[in-house]
Amino acid sequence: MEALDDAQGVLPRKRRRKAPTSTSSYVFRPLLEDIALAPEGYTSKVHITCIELWASNLYIGTSAAEILHYVAIPPDPADFTANPSYIFASRLQPTYNQTSTGSPAPGVQQILVLPRVSKACVLCNGTLTFYSLPELSPAFSHTVVPGCSWVGGANQNQSHDEDEDGQTIMICIKSRIRLVRIGDEPRKIRNIEFPSCLAIARRDNFACVADTQAYALLDVENQQKISLFPISSLDENAAGGQVEDISFHPEPSRPLSGMGDPRSHGRSTSLGTFVSGIGRRSPQSRSQERSGRNTSPEPELRAASPLRPPDRPRSGSFTSNAARRLSISDKALPPPPDRTSSQLALRNPSDSLSTNMTPHICSPTPTEFLLTTGTSPEEPGVGIFVNLDGDVVRGTLQFDRYPTSVVVDGNDQSATVSTTGIQQPLECYILASTFHRKEEGHKEVIEVHRWDIDDANSTEHLDIPYPFEEENSDDVGPALGHARLRVMLSHNSASFVEVGERLRLGRLRLPSNRQAQETDWDPALMTRAEDNRNQEEQAFGQRLGAQSSRIVLWSGSSIWWLIRNPLVLRLDGIIETAMGSLPNQRHQEVDRAKISRTISSVQDFDANTETDFLSLKYIRQKAVLILFADTLSRDPSASTISNTELRTTEKVMIDSGLDPRILLSIVPLLREEVVEGKQGIWIHNGLIWVVKEYAQVLSESDPIRGSLRYSESANMIKRFLAAWRQRKGFGSIADEAEVFQSVDAALLHLLLHQDGEQSAKSGLPSAARAELYSLVDSGVDCFERAVVLLEQNRRLYVLSRLYQNRKMAGKVLETWRRIIEGEEDAGNELRDGENEIRKYLAKIRDINLIQEYGTWLARRNADLGVKVFADDNSRAKFIPEDVVQLLQEQAPEAVKVYLEHLVFGKKKVLYANRLITYYLDSVLQVLETSDEARSILGQSYESYRALQPPKPTYRQFIMDNAVPVPWWQDRLRLLELLGGSHGADFSYDLENILGRIEPFEQDLVPESIILDGRQGRHKQALRLLTHGLGDYHTAINYCLMGGASIFHPISGSLTPSETSTREDQATLFGYLLTEFLRIEDASNRLERTSELLERFGRWYDVREVLRMIPESWSVELVSGFLVGAFRRLVHDKHEGMVVKALSGAENLQVAAAFAEKCRIAGAQMEEVQ
């Protein structure tokens, strides 16, 4: 504000000093400073005695019996931070009667402005005069009221703009109170018998008054009074609970029912209805007393119940309540408390109370009054709330010293006004000017009490900007100090630039960040856009700092506004004190408990204005930012942060709505994952310096703090980021694309960091790995950055899962191929990679990819590669001929495997010849180049021939004793194909095969046997089976099958060839008998021949056999055969006889049947012509 000088007219505006952020509920703003109070030639010290502000007029009363009139000049409307200037208008000397007393004159005692009638009442040195507004010209023909002690008592239930004929006030003179209506002229309404009144507060017909000794309640309409309690509890002469009729002219009491003001909540206008409560304290009132405020020094004070019984009489007559009043007044009051030595020195305490203990009356609500009491000015004072019934309500207020002035701010008559015009509930305060004892002496301070909550710790002390300091601290009293508080009629609007500077948005510039993937950024255009945004934010911030107040404080020659400290500044100050020193002190720890309490204090706060909404948001975010940064900056080895605190921090981080990029920007490990985007990151301007400071601290910190090795901190960040991921799709999130790109990238980076460290320590997959898989499988918005991170960390398998989520089959296969071919995969997570590729190829439809990676797999693993093309469940289908051609070009080694699948698996004999060719190539190539292979075959023949019967077939023998070399398996499959495993219809190029194996027919005996059988050379085939291999069992099967199939897997019973007849089988058995008779070993020859004849004798003719066996053999050697033969002959003979007899019987049956039919038909006569 600007102060003005009487001589110069306008004083220059002083530079406002920048003070640290205050945590108090109120702050001081200068209204006028260093005012020239003393008139010209006045030698005594002059101080301000009273002030009133109405519209643009400021009236200042002084101890020199003058009123200084200042007029406000409005500031430039375009300057939101400017305040009005005050210019001196006039100096007025009110009329008063000179007194001859030795005490100094008080000067101007009161200035009462009556806006509704444009009049002002001035009380100066005990004389009341009237003036017209605004220039204070005399009114009512210089009417004066001498001997006046106080003026006021306007009805506080009426607003200033109510349309009423005049305005009613109460003028206190020596012996009475005069109720006067001020209009075009003053008109007396009535006199109320109450002498020496010093203070009044009125609500409709009820007024709370005080004289030099005690307080009382008045019914101004019916002129009745009830005494309450003394101003000083040492005054034993004042007794509460006495009821009097105070009408100036006594007359019979009349009923008052229905006379009450309709706004008086249905209460009786008579004091008789609340008299009975004095002297009793209800349990309810006792329960309402608060700790620290119920130590009233007046033990004789008794409060009545605030609740009136429903059957209470409504009559207001004095006689109807006489018995009740007498019973109360006769009760003995408790003794006063112990007095100090200074108090005992007062022989008559009441003699000094009239000058030293000023009564104070305020009305915080339409039904309550606040009164002050105490023992002496040097001792603590007590504030007591009473209602219109005279009952003590609420608890008491404890003042450090008896106050010199008291004002109310809050509830129905808020001295603080919302500049937004929105009705909002305000915190309710009692402000009192008093002395506070300090080490350097006594200082005047402002005590601030909350009276709307039950909190004994809510008292604050505000140092007056230029407090009065007495020279002798042992003798202090209200008369020595001149600091006073008063509520003005008009309010003042103050602009808190700090509010807008904190709440407006500013761009956070990060030293290291990733920009969104844009290619059309124009730097010049972006700069202009940022400048425009800054201008808009500055203009917006200027609108946020407006605050209004009607409370002023004066001391000496200066006046200040006492304005509510904006919520954001107050809470921000608390947070700054919790931070301690500057955050760049590395080992400075934050008072986390204080910050947590600050967050809790605003949880249930309802923001009714834009400023409050932004303030709460800013405070929550700043608190969260500091708690988060403090968690990271502490040494984990010595950290005292509990898991509960971490969980609490995590919760407020999630609930605060703070852009996660801001928190990530201070984490060194994750800072580079922040994406700004085109517009950048805009946050509350008050948060920018916090982010920068902590980002620097954490960047310069030791590796333990900088690398997030504190697992709980890392887990907290991880859960925070996971919670943000769940908000994807919410339309209310600004810069959604950049935010979630940053969140996903940071979470991926953190999980990679955790998994890498934990796995390296334990050697096993960490718990974070499953979270890592879940993240990439669910998809990330930062795809390009994720690829870079995974490549940098060599996590190729995780990268392949990321590609799978994006349906990028080619990238998936390429990544897996890199791993299989030996590129480092730090996680070593791909198990059986080739098989995984085969499975994946079966799930896709891209023919080109399947061909590319199918042939690649076939080159590495022919069996798996062939399955890619041969899988019936694959989404892509291939023509076998195309696959064969593709494999011949890209993976020749896999052709044979694929042909085997076609021939043996799918039974496609069309490709059997090609497969036989591959087998022959494989076997013959080995035999041509390897003597060892030929030796192996020879040894197998010798080993088999050496076996004694019974022995397995040669095929079973070579399968059981297979040599683990590819060509051996190829030979087994070759035998299977050549032996007719695919049926008699299967044919192959016999001549070609014979020509190729002819040079190796001594090595490939089974193959030669099969080919001889195919050519019908059965004698040669049986000769090789008998003498070349010694496989007698296979030779017998050869005869039974008619020579059509040999050396192939057989299950179940043998089925002869469809073209084989019994005669053919008999012929083959004849060949076999011939070869058995040629076996060199006699015993073996005899055994094999006897067995053959005995088992298969039905295929032999007895005469032919007897002709072929040697003469030297005894009949016993072939007895089995002969017995069987004879039995068959006898059987055949008998069977013939039976058949003949059956045929004869059948002939007789037919003849008999014919005869019977002829009989039935009868004879037929035919004429022969």
Side-chain angles (χ1 to χ4, degrees):
M1 293 294 178
E2 293 183 354
L4 305 176
D5 183 52
D6 190 14
Q8 300 296 332
V10 180
L11 291 178
R13 180 175 297 169
K14 291 187 176 182
R15 176 175 294 180
R16 180 177 300 166
R17 291 172 295 180
K18 184 177 180 181
T21 304
S22 173
T23 62
S24 60
S25 301
Y26 289 84
V27 293
F28 297 95
R29 287 294 177 89
L31 175 60
L32 285 175
E33 295 180 296
D34 301 331
I35 305 172
L37 300 176
E40 186 175 357
Y42 198 86
T43 57
S44 300
K45 187 174 181 180
V46 181
H47 62 269
I48 300 173
T49 57
C50 57
I51 297 175
E52 187 57 86
L53 177 66
W54 172 66
S56 60
N57 299 277
L58 175 64
Y59 305 103
I60 304 174
T62 69
S63 59
E66 289 186 331
I67 297 178
L68 306 182
H69 181 197
Y70 286 85
V71 179
I73 299 177
D76 184 1
D79 187 358
F80 288 91
T81 63
N83 295 308
S85 302
Y86 286 87
I87 61 173
F88 180 75
S90 63
R91 186 186 295 268
L92 173 69
Q93 291 81 28
T95 301
Y96 62 91
N97 292 335
Q98 298 289 340
T99 60
S100 59
T101 60
S103 60
V108 178
Q109 297 166 271
Q110 284 183 269
I111 302 174
L112 177 63
V113 174
L114 306 175
R116 203 159 50 237
V117 294
S118 297
K119 295 295 187 291
C121 305
V122 178
L123 179 60
C124 180
N125 292 332
T127 301
L128 181 65
T129 53
F130 302 91
Y131 299 91
S132 297
L133 298 177
E135 69 280 356
L136 297 184
S137 58
F140 307 141
S141 302
H142 298 278
T143 299
V144 297
V145 180
C148 181
S149 60
W150 199 85
V151 63
N155 186 6
Q156 295 185 30
N157 283 348
Q158 293 179 345
S159 61
H160 300 310
D161 57 354
E162 288 187 3
D163 186 11
E164 187 178 320
D165 184 15
Q167 192 166 352
T168 301
I169 62 173
M170 302 175 75
I171 301 174
C172 303
I173 54 181
K174 291 183 179 180
S175 58
R176 64 184 64 87
I177 298 174
R178 181 170 294 166
L179 198 64
V180 179
R181 175 164 294 167
I182 305 296
D184 294 336
E185 59 182 12
R187 184 170 64 88
K188 184 183 74 171
I189 299 176
R190 67 176 63 87
N191 290 330
I192 302 173
E193 193 68 21
F194 189 86
S196 303
C197 181
L198 297 180
I200 298 176
R202 182 163 69 93
R203 294 284 187 175
D204 295 331
N205 292 332
F206 298 97
C208 185
V209 298
D211 56 16
T212 58
Q213 292 184 340
Y215 297 98
L217 280 172
L218 300 182
D219 182 346
V220 299
E221 182 69 26
N222 299 283
Q223 301 192 46
Q224 289 186 334
K225 179 188 77 170
I226 176 172
S227 300
L228 297 178
F229 45 82
I231 300 173
S232 173
S233 60
L234 299 179
D235 187 358
E236 300 177 356
N237 297 323
Q242 297 179 356
V243 178
E244 304 177 47
D245 190 321
I246 56 175
S247 58
F248 187 69
H249 297 289
E251 56 184 356
S253 300
R254 58 176 183 265
L256 300 179
S257 60
M259 296 294 291
D261 193 308
R263 289 170 296 178
S264 62
H265 304 275
R267 302 181 187 275
S268 171
T269 58
S270 171
L271 292 174
T273 59
F274 58 77
V275 170
S276 61
I278 299 297
R280 299 191 307 271
R281 176 165 299 189
S282 66
Q284 179 178 352
S285 64
R286 286 195 301 269
S287 65
Q288 291 174 338
E289 292 186 352
R290 293 169 283 185
S291 172
R293 295 186 179 180
N294 57 357
T295 59
S296 175
E298 66 288 358
E300 66 272 22
L301 176 62
R302 302 170 187 170
S305 170
L307 300 176
R308 179 169 55 229
D311 58 349
R312 191 173 188 175
R314 298 183 62 84
S315 173
S317 65
F318 176 80
T319 57
S320 64
N321 296 290
R324 184 183 296 110
R325 292 197 304 274
L326 290 175
S327 65
I328 297 172
S329 62
D330 291 342
K331 291 183 179 180
L333 297 175
D338 294 338
R339 300 171 175 84
T340 62
S341 59
S342 62
Q343 293 170 334
L344 294 175
L346 295 173
R347 293 176 178 268
N348 188 0
S350 63
D351 293 341
S352 63
L353 293 175
S354 61
T355 57
N356 290 338
M357 295 189 65
T358 304
H360 301 293
I361 305 174
C362 300
S363 182
T365 70
T367 60
E368 293 177 308
F369 296 102
L370 171 65
L371 315 175
T372 59
T373 182
T375 56
S376 72
E378 295 85 0
E379 297 300 323
V382 177
I384 301 175
F385 295 88
V386 297
N387 60 14
L388 298 183
D389 289 334
D391 300 332
V392 174
V393 294
R394 305 182 185 275
T396 58
L397 300 177
Q398 183 74 40
F399 300 105
D400 291 345
R401 295 283 293 271
Y402 188 83
T404 57
S405 60
V406 180
V407 296
V408 176
D409 184 12
N411 213 324
D412 70 316
Q413 57 166 12
S414 297
T416 299
V417 181
S418 172
T419 59
T420 61
I422 300 176
Q423 185 67 29
Q424 57 178 331
L426 292 175
E427 300 162 317
C428 300
Y429 292 96
I430 298 294
L431 294 91
S433 59
T434 182
F435 285 90
H436 189 63
R437 186 181 298 275
K438 296 187 176 181
E439 294 180 357
E440 62 272 14
H442 291 81
K443 290 187 177 182
E444 287 184 295
V445 297
I446 304 298
E447 285 192 28
V448 182
H449 298 265
R450 286 288 298 273
W451 60 271
D452 58 336
I453 60 173
D454 189 10
D455 186 2
N457 299 320
S458 61
T459 304
E460 302 177 40
H461 294 84
L462 307 180
D463 290 334
I464 295 175
Y466 301 104
F468 171 81
E469 297 187 20
E470 72 285 355
E471 295 179 358
N472 184 7
S473 61
D474 296 332
D475 186 13
V476 181
L480 298 178
H482 302 289
R484 297 292 186 274
L485 295 167
R486 180 173 173 80
V487 179
M488 302 289 99
L489 288 175
S490 300
H491 68 270
N492 171 70
S493 296
S495 177
F496 287 82
V497 180
E498 303 92 333
V499 174
E501 284 301 311
R502 282 169 168 80
L503 299 184
R504 75 176 182 87
L505 299 183
R507 182 171 182 180
L508 175 64
R509 297 186 176 277
L510 302 176
S512 175
N513 59 81
R514 295 186 298 109
Q515 299 295 329
Q517 303 301 317
E518 299 287 345
T519 58
D520 56 348
W521 290 15
D522 185 351
L525 182 61
M526 298 306 299
T527 301
R528 288 195 299 271
E530 182 178 345
D531 293 341
N532 293 336
R533 176 77 179 271
N534 281 324
Q535 294 176 2
E536 294 174 358
E537 291 296 335
Q538 289 176 355
F540 173 73
Q542 291 175 348
R543 298 191 290 107
L544 299 177
Q547 191 81 2
S548 295
S549 177
R550 292 168 50 209
I551 302 177
V552 297
L553 166 73
W554 68 85
S555 179
S557 61
S558 299
I559 308 172
W560 296 270
W561 286 107
L562 199 57
I563 305 176
R564 290 235 184 153
N565 196 9
L567 178 66
V568 63
L569 298 184
R570 181 161 25 114
L571 297 178
D572 200 19
I574 296 175
I575 293 177
E576 289 179 3
T577 58
M579 292 174 62
S581 304
L582 293 177
N584 55 17
Q585 294 187 6
R586 179 171 300 178
H587 302 292
Q588 178 70 33
E589 292 189 353
V590 172
D591 188 348
R592 301 177 66 90
K594 180 179 289 188
I595 295 181
S596 296
R597 288 194 298 269
T598 303
I599 297 175
S600 299
S601 67
V602 300
Q603 287 295 337
D604 300 326
F605 192 94
D606 294 329
N608 296 316
T609 65
E610 184 179 25
T611 301
D612 285 347
F613 176 79
L614 294 176
S615 298
L616 296 177
K617 179 181 176 183
Y618 166 80
I619 290 300
R620 291 191 185 101
Q621 293 183 355
K622 184 171 183 179
V624 165
L625 182 59
I626 294 173
L627 288 176
F628 176 73
D630 177 64
T631 302
L632 299 183
S633 61
R634 296 199 183 192
D635 188 344
S637 61
S639 177
T640 58
I641 303 177
S642 64
N643 289 334
T644 302
E645 288 181 305
L646 286 175
R647 288 288 184 178
T648 302
T649 302
E650 175 188 337
K651 183 178 184 303
V652 296
M653 285 167 57
I654 296 173
D655 296 340
S656 68
L658 181 63
D659 189 333
R661 295 178 295 174
I662 301 173
L663 297 178
L664 296 176
S665 65
I666 67 175
V667 183
L669 178 69
L670 308 177
R671 182 180 303 157
E672 62 180 359
E673 308 307 333
V674 175
V675 178
E676 288 194 49
K678 284 185 177 181
Q679 298 179 353
I681 301 175
W682 291 78
I683 62 174
H684 291 296
N685 198 53
L687 301 179
I688 294 178
W689 74 272
V690 181
V691 175
K692 292 182 177 179
E693 290 289 346
Y694 275 114
Q696 181 179 357
V697 170
L698 293 173
S699 296
E700 298 174 354
S701 63
D702 57 85
I704 293 180
R705 298 179 186 175
S707 65
L708 274 183
R709 292 181 182 174
Y710 188 17
S711 60
E712 291 301 324
S713 298
N715 291 335
M716 179 185 69
I717 299 175
K718 182 171 61 179
R719 291 189 294 267
F720 168 73
L721 295 175
W724 259 93
R725 277 176 54 82
Q726 296 178 2
R727 301 182 182 182
K728 287 186 178 183
F730 289 11
S732 59
I733 298 176
D735 300 331
E736 181 178 9
E738 291 79 9
V739 167
F740 289 113
Q741 287 179 25
S742 303
V743 167
D744 288 349
L747 182 56
L748 177 61
H749 195 158
L750 182 57
L751 289 173
L752 288 172
H753 177 79
Q754 281 191 317
D755 183 42
E757 285 195 342
Q758 295 173 8
S759 299
K761 292 179 180 179
S762 64
L764 299 173
S766 68
R769 184 163 298 182
E771 298 176 84
L772 179 61
Y773 290 166
S774 177
L775 174 64
V776 297
D777 290 346
S778 62
V780 293
D781 292 355
C782 59
F783 178 75
E784 291 79 8
R785 178 58 180 171
V787 173
V788 173
L789 285 173
L790 294 171
E791 290 281 5
Q792 290 177 349
N793 288 271
R794 301 184 301 280
R795 301 301 296 272
L796 298 183
Y797 177 72
V798 182
L799 176 62
S800 71
R801 297 184 71 133
L802 178 66
Y803 287 139
Q804 287 185 64
N805 176 262
R806 289 294 184 100
K807 308 299 182 184
M808 302 174 67
K811 289 293 185 179
V812 174
L813 295 167
E814 178 186 353
T815 307
W816 283 348
R817 181 168 63 182
R818 292 167 57 188
I819 298 174
I820 294 172
E821 290 180 348
E823 191 168 340
E824 181 183 3
D825 179 27
N828 193 24
E829 300 149 274
L830 183 62
R831 307 294 182 182
D832 195 7
E834 293 178 350
N835 194 42
E836 289 295 325
I837 290 181
R838 181 195 66 79
K839 293 178 181 178
Y840 190 76
L841 290 173
K843 299 176 183 179
I844 63 176
R845 299 179 181 274
D846 192 327
I847 299 297
N848 294 329
L849 284 178
I850 297 175
Q851 291 179 350
E852 177 183 355
Y853 287 93
T855 54
W856 171 83
L857 187 59
R859 290 193 294 270
R860 293 183 56 88
N861 188 327
D863 292 334
L864 285 178
V866 166
K867 289 180 180 179
V868 172
F869 303 99
D871 192 351
D872 293 334
N873 297 321
S874 175
R875 292 188 175 184
K877 304 301 180 182
F878 293 90
I879 300 174
E881 188 62 36
D882 295 339
V883 175
V884 172
Q885 182 177 358
L886 177 66
L887 292 176
Q888 285 177 338
E889 296 174 357
Q890 303 291 333
E893 298 297 329
V895 175
K896 180 188 66 175
V897 179
Y898 183 69
L899 291 174
E900 288 176 343
H901 164 74
L902 293 177
V903 174
F904 295 104
K906 296 297 184 179
K907 304 300 181 182
K908 295 181 179 296
V909 297
L910 179 64
Y911 301 94
N913 277 317
R914 191 176 302 181
L915 182 58
I916 290 173
T917 301
Y918 272 95
Y919 287 151
L920 279 175
D921 292 341
S922 174
V923 174
L924 296 181
Q925 182 179 3
V926 172
L927 293 178
E928 288 176 352
T929 58
S930 175
D931 293 336
E932 182 182 2
R934 302 176 70 172
S935 174
I936 290 174
L937 289 177
Q939 290 178 2
S940 68
Y941 301 147
E942 293 178 1
S943 299
Y944 183 75
R945 285 194 297 266
L947 293 177
Q948 296 298 320
K951 59 182 179 181
T953 64
Y954 179 74
R955 175 177 177 79
Q956 187 65 41
F957 173 77
I958 60 176
M959 290 181 64
D960 294 341
N961 299 274
V963 181
V965 289
W967 66 268
W968 187 273
Q969 299 298 325
D970 291 345
R971 181 177 179 241
L972 292 178
R973 287 297 183 93
L974 176 62
L975 290 174
E976 186 175 341
L977 288 177
L978 293 178
S981 62
H982 287 70
D985 294 337
F986 170 61
S987 62
Y988 41 81
D989 190 352
L990 187 61
E991 296 297 331
N992 179 45
I993 297 174
L994 284 173
R996 297 191 62 184
I997 70 171
E998 184 178 1
F1000 307 96
E1001 59 182 9
Q1002 298 296 325
D1003 300 311
L1004 301 177
V1005 175
E1007 289 80 354
S1008 299
I1009 294 172
I1010 295 172
L1011 294 178
D1012 286 340
R1014 283 282 182 172
Q1015 297 177 87
R1017 299 168 58 185
H1018 302 300
K1019 289 183 179 181
Q1020 180 67 18
L1022 290 173
R1023 184 180 300 111
L1024 291 175
L1025 281 171
T1026 304
H1027 304 289
L1029 291 180
D1031 188 358
Y1032 310 119
H1033 183 75
T1034 302
I1036 293 173
N1037 290 336
Y1038 183 90
C1039 297
L1040 291 174
M1041 299 300 296
S1045 179
I1046 191 174
F1047 294 123
H1048 62 84
I1050 298 174
S1051 60
S1053 59
L1054 293 173
T1055 302
S1057 173
E1058 295 180 359
T1059 60
S1060 176
T1061 63
R1062 185 174 179 83
E1063 290 76 10
D1064 294 336
Q1065 291 176 346
T1067 302
L1068 293 178
F1069 273 112
Y1071 296 156
L1072 182 59
L1073 178 59
T1074 302
E1075 298 301 327
F1076 276 10
L1077 292 174
R1078 295 176 180 175
I1079 296 176
E1080 294 181 359
D1081 187 91
S1083 60
N1084 191 21
R1085 178 174 63 248
L1086 180 60
E1087 183 178 355
R1088 298 279 75 75
T1089 303
S1090 299
E1091 180 184 4
L1092 176 64
L1093 292 175
E1094 184 175 355
R1095 291 179 56 194
F1096 304 97
R1098 67 173 63 93
W1099 276 275
Y1100 289 96
D1101 182 78
V1102 177
R1103 290 172 297 181
E1104 185 65 24
V1105 171
L1106 292 175
R1107 183 185 62 80
M1108 294 178 61
I1109 61 175
E1111 294 291 341
S1112 60
W1113 285 17
S1114 65
V1115 175
E1116 185 179 0
L1117 294 177
V1118 292
S1119 59
F1121 166 72
L1122 293 175
V1123 171
F1126 292 149
R1127 285 177 178 175
R1128 286 193 297 273
L1129 291 173
V1130 172
H1131 177 270
D1132 292 342
K1133 178 181 178 180
H1134 291 166
E1135 183 179 358
M1137 294 173 62
V1138 171
V1139 171
K1140 181 178 180 180
L1142 290 176
S1143 298
E1146 184 179 7
N1147 186 38
L1148 290 174
Q1149 288 178 350
V1150 173
F1154 177 75
E1156 181 65 20
K1157 289 182 179 179
C1158 289
R1159 184 185 64 79
I1160 294 173
Q1164 292 182 0
M1165 302 296 292
E1166 294 182 1
E1167 293 182 359
V1168 179
Q1169 296 180 1

